[in-house]
Amino acid sequence: MTDILQELELRRAIAHKGGGDDRIAAQHSKGKLTARERIDLLLDEGSFEEFDTFVAHRCTDFGMEKQRPYGDGVVTGWGTVNGRQVYVFSQDFTVLGGSVSATHAAKICKIMDMAIQNGAPVIGLNDSGGARIQEGVDALAGYAEIFQRNIMASGVIPQISVVMGPCAGGAVYSPAITDFIFMVKDSSYMFVTGPDVVKTVTNEVVTAEELGGASTHTKKSSVADGAFENDVEALAEVRRLIDFLPLNNVAKPPVRPFFDDVGRLDHSLDTLIPDSSNAPYDMKELILKLSDEGDFYEIQEEFAKNIITGFVRLEGSTVGVVANQPMVLAGCLDIDSSRKAARFVRFCDAFEIPILTLVDVPGFLPGTGQELGGVIKHGAKLLFAYGEATVPKVTVITRKAYGGAYDVMASKHLRGDFNYAWPTAEIAVMGAKGATEIIHRADLGNAEKIATHTQDYETRFANPFVAAERGFIDEVIMPHSTRKRVCRAFASLRGKRLTNPWKKHDNIPL
Amino acid sequence: MFKKILIANRGEIACRVIKTARKMGIKTVAIYSDADRNALHVKMADEAVHIGPSPANQSYIVIEKVMEAIRQTGAEAVHPGYGFLSENSKFAEALAAEGVAFIGPPVNAIEAMGDKITSKKLAQEAGVSTVPGHMGIIADADEAVKISNQVGYPVMIKASAGGGGKGMRIAWNDTEAREGFQSSKNEAANSFGDDRIFIEKFVTQPRHIEIQVLADSHGNTIYLNERECSIQRRQQKVIEEAPSPFLDEETRKAMGEQSCALAAAVGYSSAGTVEFIVDGDRNFYFLEMNTRLQVEHPVTELITGIDLVEQMIRVAYGEKLAIEQKDVQRNGWAMESRLYAEDPYRGFLPSIGRLTRYRPPVEEAENTRAVRNDTGVFEGGEISMYYDPMIAKLCTWGPDRATAIEEMRNALDGFEVEGIGHNLPFLAAVYDHPKFIEGTMTTAFIEEEYPDGFEGVTLPDAELERVAAAAVAMYRVCEIRRAQISGRMDNHERVVGTDWVVTLQNEAFATHVDADRGGANVTIGDVTRRVESDWTPGQTLARLTIDDAPLVIKVDLISAGFRVRYRGADLQVRVRTKRQAELAELMPEKVPADTSKLLLCPMPGLIVKIDVAVGDEVQEGQTLCSVEAMKMENILRAERKGIVIKINAAAGDSLAVDEVIMEFE
């Protein structure tokens, strides 16, 4: 009997060794941790329950039958993050390069099915050389099985991908479908075709880092939502993100004890808006000062910085924040910022996370680059996302809300629940100067008259009261009371019930 | 008494004067420029008058504008503060012409002391010790030796046209005087085409010590002890204290009496300051007299209990001094730290911007300790480029010097300033410097002790362990809260452990935490410390006690730990489980990106001029461009030889800190 028990221990020990000491050392020398070490960091200590420890592939081509390691290059199972259940798969680069075979894929599919069934997030730690070439179409079929599950899980459970090594070719499309992609600086890359193929086909000479490193994907392509210094930091920060997310689309956003005053006033906000209406200020200061304990988890921090997206807590409960950033491009909407914010709004709506929108937007960015790039359809994505969202929506206009961008930014007309404005708000079709030049075209030659007209326009429209007269602004609030007002607004919306007409799905302008 | 006074100044000193005026029941009028529309002094005053655009030369120092504000408001007297019009005799005359009282000395005293040569002559006549020397031209080496002996060694042999150290020699004996004379003369002839030489006493181990005098218009003059102001950076005082740790009773009395004699000689009334340079043997020599309230007056107030502004107002009203020399106290010790909007890590370059956080320590006045903060700014206010970068003067008082210093350390630890670069870490470093603690500093202290600038503070091990103990106790509070999130699997909750590895300043400490209701016992090695605090997550200032000794640290959340600022050190403190720490050990050390081939903008500012073009080969020290910030034009020079391959900015561009101005091959 003891022998039989020992046999299990023995086999487990072999499985836990992955690709063996040499390959583990090689992995470490690249600054990367092993699949199991990563799971140790992601999950609560001792909470990991493994599935399919002993699964091995069934390929017999090219001598593959001679090496059939336990686990087949991926560690799968479930565990907890701060006591909340999550499913995880972690590809093991030390075992057959973490390559995806039919069985490797089947292991991932198994936990994804469980995750959807049981309503818990899936976190994928990607570190794989790609499809296992020896298996041919079996490997491709495996990928597609994963994709299909990613698609089915989308909007049902949060899916997070952490790219911690190579992720190339078809493999990229699993993370691509998930809600968030994080990368590790200097040790991960993602691309559909690598530098060699690029060279052959287009003659471009490019490094893997330039083509698909963390910097490329967080700053230029926007494929990734964030990048971290190393594996340890990446996994610690993924834990932090999970604390903001609900377990599934029918669970409430998580709540935890908080040490901040709901009614906290911050008088420094009364001077946040500069005297000159063209001077920039940092919208992040408002986000930090109104959120619980100044804790903000930013999504896509490095991309389209003219809009800020991320999670905060109010009264201990998660709220998604979308905010124009006057420091960058005057906070205007453009193709990139619209896409970035639209996706974030839709994530929040899918998972019942209330949305706070902070508005200081001078309009859409003009130019051929924008128009030829299709800013009409991209801008429409954000409009669509806000309009279809049924979660509690609270909006605060701090300064400019001009033109179509006013409508887009969670206006009253898009079923905004609370639309507040600071006394510094200017809600108008456009800035006073531009408006005057159109309305009083005849006087364009007369600088004095134009100045008077501009002054008149400013007096009439550069304030929140015209909109407030019409009820488009529910209340003009003091900047220092923003936290209190916003907290109370969301508190009053805890019972919100709003459903859209039945449809198979909508047809957002993709 | 006056019914209403106008304060012809801004910032902390305007606020300071308003406080006293209010205490005396006098109404106050502030004046302000465009940039100061929302300034604290404007809010504090009973009335405020706008006097023009932001630059001081179009507002605060335009006499006619100030006069107009006086006429408008009917102020009966004007307190000029320091700087601006405070030592401007024309302003004093203009006031006199309209029958408005000047809260300061008479015009002739301002004029007499405003001129270096006249003031030195008057000082000599009044029997004040001046730097001995021979102002005439010296004919030959023999005469040089003779004069050197008269002056007394060591002497400084200086070229009349000299500057920048050229044509300057220090001589300690006759041989050196002879040689020094000859080489100075040669050097001067070659460098300046002017070989005139003079000799004066060389002051060794110089300290800047000044005497506060107070005089009324009835012929009474007293001195209110001294202030030591030797901690200076480029003639700018940084830390002052009263009394001086260096003076003995006899020297103090001599300096005080000579100062009074000088004040009396020029018919001085109001508060004034006689500045001296004091050598290592306590010989003191007159430098100049400041005919105004000094920036550092609070330290005198703290040890004497006299409100100098009140005295100035009373004197200006014509009252007799109610205090006699024998009543002047010297009670305990006071320190003053000047908080500057200057980034010590970047060569003390001025920093401007919004004060996103400004929380000075609480002001307290008890029998055994006091904290005072004179400030002109507030959280949410703007530090503009137009004025002096000093934003606050933090003072502490204790019964003795050591206590005053310790109070200051704690007060600095508890002072929160965010949004701009500031010198809090540097100030903290000075208060922990052995030379400062001993009180043996000279005016060369900063130059000598920080020759390469300020690079932050390395904490000693004992302090590291205290910080580590605090951090682990605090981090555990955060982790326990995290484990209380909703949606947990019942009966399978996370149990937050008791063993943690704390890494900071490249050291790792294995810790064990036993927490209870009132705090935690933290064991590091074989030492257990009791950590107590009412800190909760999210607070950026943590007040703890470690074995009953206070520890005040600034904390910001970072991944797996805190950024901790304490005693001038800025630390990344990570708190990890053993397993996490072991895996973190495997992570490669990443070297920061190489910026040696880039010229980065060292401060937010305006590019005035780009002096090179793409393709130019530049030599070390060559001027590359100039950036204007805080009205100062800063010239950026090449640190090494190189070729310019790209220029990203042009004259007129406004740049942020660290924006790339140009790139080199």
Side-chain angles (χ1 to χ4, degrees):
Chain A
M1 191 62 184
T2 342
D3 288 354
I4 298 173
L5 297 187
Q6 264 177 3
E7 175 69 12
L8 174 61
E9 291 298 321
L10 206 67
R11 284 182 183 240
R12 273 191 181 159
I14 294 168
H16 289 181
K17 268 276 183 237
D21 289 336
D22 289 352
R23 290 209 179 112
I24 290 172
Q27 179 84 348
H28 287 164
S29 73
K30 282 182 263 180
K32 298 185 343 181
L33 296 176
T34 67
R36 286 174 194 279
E37 288 166 345
R38 287 168 176 165
I39 288 175
D40 283 350
L41 291 174
L42 176 67
L43 300 179
D44 295 339
E45 211 162 343
S47 75
F48 182 53
E49 298 283 347
E50 189 167 353
F51 284 130
D52 297 338
T53 313
F54 303 113
V55 159
H57 69 77
R58 294 183 290 273
C59 177
T60 53
D61 292 313
F62 309 104
M64 283 300 285
E65 70 278 7
K66 289 186 201 113
Q67 43 170 341
R68 299 182 61 237
Y70 285 152
D72 203 28
V74 64
V75 182
T76 62
W78 70 273
T80 58
V81 171
N82 289 313
R84 297 160 80 223
Q85 191 185 12
V86 297
Y87 285 84
V88 58
F89 68 86
S90 178
Q91 291 179 313
D92 189 347
F93 198 78
T94 68
V95 175
L96 302 172
S99 61
V100 175
S101 66
T103 38
H104 176 123
K107 282 183 69 173
I108 295 174
C109 290
K110 186 194 259 184
I111 61 123
M112 291 187 69
D113 290 339
M114 299 274 286
I116 297 169
Q117 173 190 298
N118 301 331
V122 172
I123 298 133
L125 309 180
N126 296 269
D127 188 1
S128 160
R132 197 171 301 159
I133 299 164
Q134 293 90 336
E135 291 208 359
V137 74
D138 278 351
L140 298 182
Y143 272 127
E145 293 284 340
I146 297 171
F147 301 157
Q148 182 62 48
R149 280 166 180 79
N150 285 138
I151 294 161
M152 289 298 100
S154 183
V156 179
I157 50 170
Q159 301 182 80
I160 300 171
S161 301
V162 193
V163 180
M164 310 185 83
C167 182
V172 299
Y173 286 109
S174 171
I177 299 166
T178 60
D179 298 303
F180 300 104
I181 299 177
F182 296 102
M183 295 181 74
V184 181
K185 289 178 189 169
D186 307 319
S187 55
S188 71
Y189 55 84
M190 288 178 85
F191 35 64
V192 176
T193 52
D196 295 343
V197 181
V198 169
K199 174 90 175 36
T200 318
V201 178
T202 70
N203 251 327
E204 286 172 284
V205 178
V206 66
T207 63
E209 183 64 29
E210 288 164 354
L211 194 59
S215 167
T216 301
H217 286 316
T218 49
K219 293 180 182 148
K220 293 184 186 142
S221 75
S222 81
V223 165
D225 296 283
F228 302 106
E229 284 305 320
N230 55 47
D231 285 13
V232 174
E233 186 186 309
L235 295 162
E237 291 303 294
V238 168
R239 282 178 65 90
R240 214 181 125 222
L241 174 62
I242 291 168
D243 285 351
F244 282 96
L245 306 182
L247 295 177
N248 57 61
N249 63 341
V250 291
K252 287 262 176 211
V255 188
R256 63 179 208 188
F258 62 101
F259 300 97
D260 205 342
D261 178 3
V262 176
R264 174 168 54 79
L265 303 181
D266 193 324
H267 289 277
S268 70
L269 292 178
D270 291 345
T271 54
L272 181 65
I273 306 296
D275 288 340
S276 158
S277 91
N278 291 322
Y281 61 94
D282 191 355
M283 188 66 96
K284 270 188 202 167
E285 185 179 337
L286 173 58
I287 298 174
L288 295 173
K289 285 185 172 174
L290 70 78
S291 57
D292 283 1
E293 301 166 22
D295 190 10
F296 177 48
Y297 197 102
E298 191 164 355
I299 299 293
Q300 297 218 336
E301 183 178 0
E302 295 292 325
F303 181 74
K305 292 181 172 185
N306 42 336
I307 208 154
I308 305 167
T309 55
F311 300 105
V312 299
R313 291 186 186 83
L314 294 176
E315 302 183 45
S317 183
T318 307
V319 170
V321 179
V322 178
N324 305 112
Q325 170 58 291
M327 301 266 282
V328 181
L329 291 171
C332 72
L333 287 177
D334 59 359
I335 293 174
D336 290 346
S337 60
S338 300
R339 280 201 301 122
K340 169 179 164 181
R343 183 162 167 77
F344 182 78
V345 166
R346 279 169 61 90
F347 174 82
C348 292
D349 188 47
F351 289 99
E352 287 300 326
I353 298 170
I355 299 166
L356 171 65
T357 307
L358 306 174
V359 184
D360 185 349
V361 65
F364 277 94
L365 181 66
T368 50
Q370 290 291 311
E371 296 294 349
L372 301 187
V375 66
I376 295 174
K377 283 225 165 176
H378 293 292
K381 289 175 184 172
L382 182 55
L383 171 63
F384 196 112
Y386 269 124
E388 71 172 339
T390 56
V391 291
K393 292 186 280 193
V394 175
T395 303
V396 181
I397 300 174
T398 59
R399 188 167 63 174
K400 293 171 192 166
Y402 288 168
Y406 152 74
D407 282 336
V408 170
M409 293 301 295
S411 62
K412 195 74 198 167
H413 327 291
L414 300 179
R415 303 191 293 184
D417 293 301
F418 281 78
N419 288 73
Y420 285 139
W422 284 4
T424 42
E426 305 168 19
I427 304 162
V429 175
M430 58 174 72
K433 190 168 167 287
T436 309
E437 284 168 4
I438 294 169
I439 301 173
H440 303 285
R441 189 161 291 166
D443 294 336
L444 269 183
N446 189 331
E448 208 168 291
K449 273 190 174 172
I450 285 290
T452 319
H453 292 319
T454 308
Q455 188 59 46
D456 289 348
Y457 191 92
E458 263 177 26
T459 317
R460 178 79 182 101
F461 290 114
N463 62 59
F465 298 106
V466 180
E469 280 168 20
R470 284 157 178 73
F472 301 156
I473 292 298
D474 297 301
E475 183 68 304
V476 181
I477 62 169
M478 290 299 275
H480 65 250
S481 66
T482 306
R483 172 175 162 83
K484 183 178 146 194
R485 293 288 194 142
V486 168
C487 281
R488 289 183 63 82
F490 280 118
S492 79
L493 293 166
R494 282 175 197 152
K496 180 177 180 183
R497 278 196 207 99
L498 178 65
T499 42
N500 292 335
W502 186 91
K503 50 182 107 175
K504 187 173 174 192
H505 61 68
D506 56 43
N507 189 19
I508 188 168
L510 284 177
Chain B
M1 186 42 65
F2 301 119
K3 298 269 176 310
K4 190 193 271 185
I5 63 169
L6 181 140
I7 296 101
N9 216 305
R10 61 174 304 282
E12 67 87 15
I13 193 61
C15 300
R16 158 75 189 87
V17 174
I18 291 171
K19 274 186 194 165
T20 288
R22 184 179 290 164
K23 188 182 76 184
M24 296 172 72
I26 303 170
K27 294 256 180 263
T28 52
V29 181
I31 54 173
Y32 64 94
S33 69
D34 287 348
D36 279 338
R37 202 173 291 277
N38 299 314
L40 192 60
H41 74 281
V42 176
K43 289 182 192 167
M44 284 176 67
D46 296 309
E47 285 174 74
V49 182
H50 176 247
I51 51 150
S54 305
N57 61 12
Q58 295 170 43
S59 50
Y60 292 108
I61 58 173
V62 181
I63 293 174
E64 191 36 49
K65 287 189 174 176
V66 179
M67 294 309 298
E68 185 51 42
I70 295 167
R71 285 177 214 124
Q72 248 182 60
T73 55
E76 297 156 66
V78 172
H79 195 297
Y82 51 75
F84 292 154
L85 297 171
S86 61
E87 291 175 287
N88 186 317
S89 55
K90 287 204 180 68
F91 179 55
E93 276 164 8
L95 290 172
E98 299 199 18
V100 178
F102 179 65
I103 304 173
V107 175
N108 61 331
I110 299 176
E111 277 172 351
M113 290 298 122
D115 183 86
K116 286 234 172 206
I117 295 167
T118 320
S119 67
K120 193 169 175 184
K121 217 174 120 233
L122 281 169
Q124 275 170 341
E125 284 168 16
V128 180
S129 160
T130 55
V131 180
H134 181 83
M135 290 301 146
I137 306 303
I138 294 155
D140 56 30
D142 288 337
E143 194 185 350
V145 171
K146 200 177 108 203
I147 290 167
S148 297
N149 279 300
Q150 282 167 11
V151 170
Y153 289 108
V155 298
M156 169 96 77
I157 304 167
K158 268 188 188 168
S160 181
K166 273 204 174 117
M168 249 165 72
R169 290 288 183 283
I170 295 160
W172 297 80
N173 53 46
D174 289 356
T175 322
E176 285 179 14
R178 197 172 291 277
E179 285 167 10
F181 174 79
Q182 209 50 55
S183 50
S184 279
K185 200 173 164 70
N186 294 344
E187 211 169 283
N190 292 335
S191 301
F192 316 114
D194 174 352
D195 65 355
R196 289 176 304 157
I197 296 294
F198 69 94
I199 290 176
E200 67 177 27
K201 177 88 182 168
F202 174 65
V203 179
T204 54
Q205 297 167 276
R207 303 172 72 117
H208 178 118
I209 299 174
E210 59 190 28
I211 298 288
Q212 176 71 52
V213 296
L214 185 61
D216 62 19
S217 50
H218 306 278
N220 303 307
T221 307
I222 58 172
Y223 65 93
L224 307 179
N225 302 309
E226 77 284 3
R227 293 184 289 260
E228 162 102 41
C229 316
S230 296
I231 306 293
Q232 312 182 343
R233 203 183 66 81
R234 297 193 188 156
Q235 317 296 325
Q236 187 192 53
K237 294 168 188 166
V238 180
I239 289 173
E240 299 100 340
E241 61 185 294
S244 161
F246 186 60
L247 291 195
D248 51 33
E249 208 52 57
E250 192 188 338
T251 318
R252 175 174 297 122
K253 190 159 180 276
M255 288 171 77
E257 282 169 357
Q258 290 187 14
S259 299
C260 287
L262 176 60
V266 294
Y268 201 88
S269 67
S270 193
T273 295
V274 183
E275 295 191 338
F276 291 94
I277 186 165
V278 182
D279 75 10
D281 299 321
R282 291 193 185 83
N283 297 308
F284 59 90
Y285 310 104
F286 171 80
L287 282 180
E288 60 176 339
M289 180 171 186
N290 295 319
T291 56
R292 56 171 155 81
L293 185 66
Q294 294 277 93
V295 174
E296 58 274 22
H297 74 275
V299 288
T300 298
E301 296 185 330
L302 284 166
I303 62 160
T304 59
I306 294 168
D307 182 334
L308 282 166
V309 173
E310 180 186 338
Q311 294 303 320
M312 289 175 80
I313 294 173
R314 290 192 184 284
V315 167
Y317 192 68
E319 286 186 18
K320 267 189 181 168
L321 286 182
I323 319 146
E324 287 179 48
Q325 189 63 52
K326 63 177 172 47
D327 303 329
V328 175
Q329 295 180 24
R330 201 173 74 245
N331 175 23
W333 216 284
M335 291 282 162
E336 175 181 276
S337 302
R338 296 194 189 189
L339 177 59
Y340 285 107
E342 291 178 346
D343 192 339
Y345 304 108
R346 292 170 177 270
F348 296 92
L349 282 170
S351 174
I352 56 171
R354 184 176 150 81
L355 276 173
T356 55
R357 194 167 181 84
Y358 179 78
R359 305 274 165 99
V362 177
E363 291 192 309
E364 289 166 289
E366 293 166 22
N367 287 337
T368 51
R369 53 188 292 272
V371 177
R372 166 175 169 178
N373 187 48
D374 284 22
T375 192
V377 299
F378 57 96
E379 184 167 292
E382 191 84 16
I383 305 301
S384 81
M385 63 199 284
Y386 299 105
Y387 312 110
D388 191 275
M390 195 185 77
I391 55 178
K393 300 179 321 203
L394 179 64
C395 298
T396 55
W397 177 89
D400 51 50
R401 190 165 186 268
T403 319
I405 291 176
E406 184 59 18
E407 287 293 339
M408 182 58 82
R409 291 181 186 129
N410 290 331
L412 290 170
D413 284 337
F415 203 141
E416 293 184 89
V417 182
E418 307 289 346
I420 53 158
H422 55 76
N423 67 335
L424 279 175
F426 178 71
L427 292 167
V430 174
Y431 287 103
D432 275 331
H433 195 289
K435 257 195 181 164
F436 183 82
I437 296 169
E438 279 170 23
T440 55
M441 61 281 188
T442 70
T443 52
F445 174 84
I446 292 179
E447 238 166 71
E448 285 171 7
E449 302 302 323
Y450 303 92
D452 303 319
F454 177 65
E455 283 157 353
V457 165
T458 308
L459 286 185
D461 276 358
E463 287 286 9
L464 281 186
E465 290 196 13
R466 270 160 47 87
V467 173
V472 71
M474 291 161 64
Y475 192 72
R476 207 164 165 277
V477 171
C478 296
E479 288 298 288
I480 288 169
R481 189 266 294 268
R482 292 185 73 180
Q484 290 169 345
I485 194 167
S486 66
R488 306 184 303 264
M489 287 176 90
D490 285 347
N491 311 317
H492 301 274
E493 285 92 351
R494 172 183 171 206
V495 179
V496 175
T498 52
D499 291 295
W500 299 84
V501 179
V502 183
T503 40
L504 68 167
Q505 203 173 282
N506 293 320
E507 287 195 54
F509 299 98
T511 66
H512 177 82
V513 187
D514 274 323
D516 51 55
R517 215 161 259 283
N521 295 322
V522 178
T523 308
I524 300 175
D526 45 18
V527 180
T528 300
R529 292 175 173 83
R530 176 72 184 167
V531 179
E532 290 184 358
S533 176
D534 57 2
W535 180 83
T536 55
Q539 291 180 356
T540 50
L541 188 69
R543 295 182 179 280
L544 308 105
T545 56
I546 312 279
D547 287 341
D548 294 328
L551 176 72
V552 181
I553 56 179
K554 282 159 216 158
V555 287
D556 297 289
L557 271 186
I558 56 171
S559 189
F562 306 102
R563 173 189 180 198
V564 171
R565 281 171 288 174
Y566 171 62
R567 295 285 145 103
D570 192 340
L571 308 167
Q572 308 269 311
V573 183
R574 310 283 176 175
V575 185
R576 297 186 169 112
T577 63
K578 280 183 181 169
R579 178 66 174 150
Q580 288 165 350
E582 173 186 304
L583 295 175
E585 275 287 293
L586 295 169
M587 293 294 98
E589 186 113 2
K590 291 194 180 175
V591 282
D594 181 14
T595 54
S596 64
K597 293 198 166 126
L598 304 174
L599 176 70
L600 304 180
C601 192
M603 74 221 109
L606 184 82
I607 300 283
V608 181
K609 190 159 161 257
I610 301 270
D611 295 275
V612 292
V614 170
D616 285 3
E617 190 187 68
V618 296
Q619 303 299 323
E620 185 184 323
Q622 188 176 332
T623 302
L624 299 173
C625 68
S626 40
V627 180
E628 189 188 285
M630 286 234 173
K631 297 208 57 109
M632 298 248 301
E633 201 167 311
N634 300 275
I635 292 174
L636 306 184
R637 297 172 195 281
E639 280 180 15
R640 55 184 73 78
K641 201 170 140 174
I643 295 169
V644 181
I645 53 164
K646 199 170 168 209
I647 296 179
N648 300 321
D653 288 358
S654 280
L655 298 190
V657 165
D658 280 344
E659 269 197 74
V660 179
I661 301 173
M662 61 183 76
E663 298 169 28
F664 304 97
E665 194 178 70

